[in-house]
Amino acid sequence: MSRLITVSNRVGVPTAGATRAGGLESALREALEAGGGIWFGWSGEVTPERSESPIMLKKGKVTFATVNLNPTDYQEYYLGYANRTLWPLLHSHLGLVEFHRSQLRGYIAVNEYLAKMLAPLIEPDDLIWVHDYHLIPLADELRKLGITNRIGFFLHTPLPPTDILVALPHHELIMRAFCAYDLIGLQTENGVRAFLDYIAREANGRLEFDGSLSAYGRLTRVIAFPIGIDTQGFVDMATRAMRTAETRKLRNSLDSRRLIVGVDRLDYSKGVRNRFEAIDELLSEWPEEAGHFTYLQISPPSRSDVESYQALRREVEGVLGHVNGKYSDVDWAPIRFVVRPVSRTALAGIFRSSRVGLVTPLRDGMNLVAKEYVASQDPEDPGVLVLSRFAGAAAELKTAVLVNPLDPSEIGAAIHQALKMGLNERRERWGLMMEVLRGNTIDDWSANFLKALKATRPLD
Ligand code: ADP
């Protein structure tokens, strides 16, 4: 049986006292434990010099191998090209894309360095599975070092259409790097179509009869594998959470008002500003709703070293102050905004206590919160998911109330519809979404990807 090597920008090294691992982390760890393997990547540490060799930590059948990056790497690779160039581009926010050649060079250089650190750990039969936009050039760099193993890649973000991809200076360099993988996994069929379209129009490549793709003198496969969650784990966690003091404290504070909830990292792709504006629209269109709901938005800050994220926080807080100022009374404010970290169990309890889950990203690869929200519901009295049609999850969760996240009045009307929705309709919509979540869990996702990777031709 071949070993598995997973590679991601950050490695889920188990540490004493750490909170319960997230779904992806546990799924990858489980896949690694099945046949033994290595999880390789950046330690998250920035030190004056890069590591000369990986720091190895063995836990059972899994070895965690991490390396430190230097301050220039952190600036150019992580904050720069990955988060100022690729992230906004992949989410179709062209106005936020910054481009500096030095950062592109830094991005490639870190991938080259990571390949050099990883190569000596690779054995001939190992399967290698690389994750996300930080590491697109990794396979190409490994190939340059003579690694011929099967290497797969999964992109957790969306892949935008060709017309947006070509806005990236030197886009062919990135797209060529993709083709060094034997298998490219994307979240949706839309992403696959975008990839094929780019290859046909820009790379003069073609789709072969057996479904493989030939471009840049290489052969690869592009398949949609929508990521799932630990569905049963969330059902259990949400049920347990209802008995915790934290959930009780929240429920008591609601004073029998219906709860609307949103949970997202503070990121411009999540559309939080539009959601606050939607509350304004809701209350101006249906003033009788004032005092009858509480909207809790939980948004832990992220990437606060990037200026556009600092600007976003100021902007969101401005709109929040405006809406709360306009509608609050002495005993009620429409929006509660929480930036403190909240445990996953507490989140599940909050989801289950709510009537409406608001998940309205402007663009999202999948959006796991949407799936976690559905799995957390009480089957007897489920809440309603209001979901952006531009989240990958919308391709699967078709019985959510789907909205255009750019239109606050459409979101406001959807919230109103959700608040008014009768029990039968709520149950019916929820039941259909739950079937989807049970049919495609995070374990199915990793098993399907690895099966497809094994089925690609071994290189000679
Ligand atoms: P993204 O990967 O862009 O942040 P997703 O919705 O796909 O968006 O994934 C976010 C993950 O982080 C989910 O699993 C969610 O439960 C978790 N999460 C988000 N906010 C919090 C929070 N405040 N505390 C703990 N976990 C959170």
Side-chain angles (χ1 to χ4, degrees), residues 1 13 36 58 70 121 129 150 157 176 186 200 240 245 271-272 275 284 306 321 333 364 370 398 400 404 411 438 451:
M1 193 171 171
V13 180
K58 195 161 170 32
N70 69 31
L121 308 180
W129 187 7
R150 280 165 296 185
T157 69
R176 180 189 290 270
L186 299 173
R240 270 200 318 272
V272 172
R275 253 180 259 173
S284 72
V306 179
D364 217 327
K398 297 195 172 85
N404 181 335
I411 304 173
R438 290 207 184 275
K451 194 170 152 209

Side-chain angles (χ1 to χ4, degrees), residues 22-23 87 91 234 263-265 269-270 298-300 303 340-344 347 351 364 366-370 372:
W87 177 271
H91 288 83
F234 255 87
V263 174
D264 324 70
R265 278 183 308 104
S269 67
K270 301 293 183 181
I298 301 178
S299 284
R303 303 175 194 168
R340 284 215 317 240
V342 176
S343 74
R344 287 171 73 77
L347 280 186
F351 289 157
D364 217 327
M366 175 52 63
N367 197 294
L368 294 175
V369 167
E372 293 166 358

